[in-house]
Amino acid sequence: MPPEYHLESFWDSRFKVEDHFEWLGDGSNTILPFLRKFLRDRKAVYRASPPRLLHIGAGTSTLSDQILAVYKEFYKEDTLKDGVMVNIDYSEVAVERGKLGIQGANDYTRWKRTDLLNWDDVLSLRRMYGSESNEGEEPFSIVVDKSTSDAISCNDSITFDSSKKSSLNLRVARTFLLCYPNKTLSYGPVDLLALHLAALVKTDGIWIVLSYSRHRFDFLITEEGPKESEGETSVAPWAYWKVEDITGIDAPSGLSKVGVFAPAVQHYVFVLRRTQTVFMV
């Protein structure tokens, strides 16, 4: 059985007693170089208004503070508007800690409890910080994900049928279930995460992921199209994302005892590119 990383209760219990923990390192040598490259490459585009960043699974990591420091390398503080970075987490405990300033609270960041596999939560986030915001704010251009996809992958597949099509609320899914009411749509948890993030990220935005698995996003690479098998159909999220880069990075061994052999371990940084303009809602 995989760890219960997909359960909110697991994280609430853990964050009540854990002040600080870094999954797969603090991100300084893995995620941040790719963030710097994106900001450097797009500086001319985002000269007046720095790109909005969504940090998913923020937890008790210091990565939020490090991301803000990187932004200050490229932008003057008077251009960093409120909410240029939004930190979200599945755990209300982690979010409340963030709001209180235990990790990453400042004038430029916001915190919000969000379940990224729940469409209502995603839609709420979209309306608050995306193109549907009353403030007319831009959608996110960057998603930072330090092993959150790994935790979400521990969940079971999620299935929708015609009786639950409104809870999915994806245009392509609603259309399919309307035309084929006896069918179902089945998503792996990371597949559904990809579809939901596509509703939050603008075209040509990026999703930077640090994962322990080289195969975390194989479902985006094998472009086989929609699948049907025994009444179940999976609408492939590769319609909205492509894997632009995979970089293997040596991970700390975790062993320091002299004479003890520790086999080489690698973590992987993925850069995923948001590809299509047309989407759902």
Side-chain angles (χ1 to χ4, degrees), residues 5-269:
Y5 293 158
H6 62 291
L7 297 179
E8 183 179 1
S9 57
F10 172 88
W11 295 109
D12 280 345
S13 298
R14 180 162 183 159
F15 289 137
K16 284 177 181 178
V17 298
E18 183 177 84
D19 291 336
H20 171 240
F21 188 79
E22 301 289 355
W23 295 91
L24 308 191
D26 66 3
S28 59
N29 297 319
T30 51
I31 288 175
L32 296 187
F34 292 90
L35 175 60
R36 284 191 179 92
K37 182 179 186 305
F38 180 84
L39 294 178
R40 186 180 302 111
D41 292 347
R42 300 304 176 89
K43 183 67 184 291
V45 177
Y46 296 108
R47 188 180 302 279
S49 180
R52 187 181 298 281
L53 182 146
L54 179 65
H55 179 197
I56 69 174
T60 57
S61 170
T62 63
L63 184 56
S64 176
D65 292 329
Q66 294 188 76
I67 290 170
L68 184 57
V70 169
Y71 265 71
K72 290 179 180 179
E73 294 174 15
F74 290 87
Y75 298 96
K76 295 180 179 179
E77 289 199 34
D78 59 3
T79 68
L80 295 176
K81 61 186 178 182
D82 180 29
V84 70
M85 174 167 53
V86 178
N87 298 293
I88 64 173
D89 202 277
Y90 192 22
S91 166
E92 186 69 46
V93 176
V95 169
E96 289 306 312
R97 288 170 61 90
K99 288 179 178 178
L100 291 172
I102 296 173
Q103 296 289 343
N106 49 63
D107 293 337
Y108 312 110
T109 64
R110 301 177 191 173
W111 288 78
K112 181 175 172 56
R113 188 269 171 195
T114 305
D115 176 359
L116 284 170
L117 298 186
N118 182 304
W119 177 252
D120 289 337
D121 280 14
V122 173
L123 192 59
S124 173
L125 193 64
R126 178 185 171 96
R127 287 172 175 166
M128 291 178 69
Y129 303 112
S131 58
E132 298 179 5
S133 166
N134 292 330
E135 302 174 15
E137 295 173 338
E138 284 195 346
F140 297 102
S141 297
I142 309 166
V143 176
V144 167
D145 170 354
K146 185 157 73 75
S147 200
T148 297
S149 294
D150 294 335
I152 286 176
S153 72
C154 295
N155 210 332
D156 296 326
S157 293
I158 299 97
T159 299
F160 301 89
D161 58 28
S162 57
S163 67
K164 296 190 295 183
K165 61 179 180 291
S166 62
S167 63
L168 181 58
N169 208 4
L170 309 178
R171 180 181 301 164
V172 64
R174 291 201 308 270
T175 302
F176 180 87
L177 292 175
L178 181 64
C179 296
Y180 302 96
N182 296 322
K183 296 282 189 177
T184 62
L185 290 170
S186 183
Y187 295 94
V190 184
D191 298 51
L192 188 60
L193 171 66
L195 283 169
H196 283 178
L197 286 177
L200 298 170
V201 178
K202 64 192 303 183
T203 302
D204 207 35
I206 62 169
W207 176 9
I208 305 171
V209 184
L210 176 62
S211 173
Y212 65 78
S213 174
R214 172 66 174 75
H215 302 288
R216 180 61 62 220
F217 294 97
D218 280 1
F219 64 91
L220 295 178
I221 299 172
T222 55
E223 299 185 2
E224 300 174 1
K227 303 173 185 177
E228 294 188 33
S229 175
E230 298 180 0
E232 295 189 357
T233 296
S234 174
V235 179
W238 53 257
Y240 306 103
W241 294 100
K242 69 175 181 179
V243 178
E244 191 169 272
D245 186 72
I246 307 173
T247 302
I249 296 175
D250 289 338
S253 69
L255 294 177
S256 59
K257 189 175 180 180
V258 176
V260 174
F261 172 73
V265 175
Q266 282 204 316
H267 295 157
Y268 299 89
V269 180

Side-chain angles (χ1 to χ4, degrees), residues 265-277:
V265 175
Q266 282 204 316
H267 295 157
Y268 299 89
V269 180
F270 295 82
V271 177
L272 312 179
R273 182 74 62 176
R274 178 73 168 83
T275 55
Q276 287 193 16
T277 303

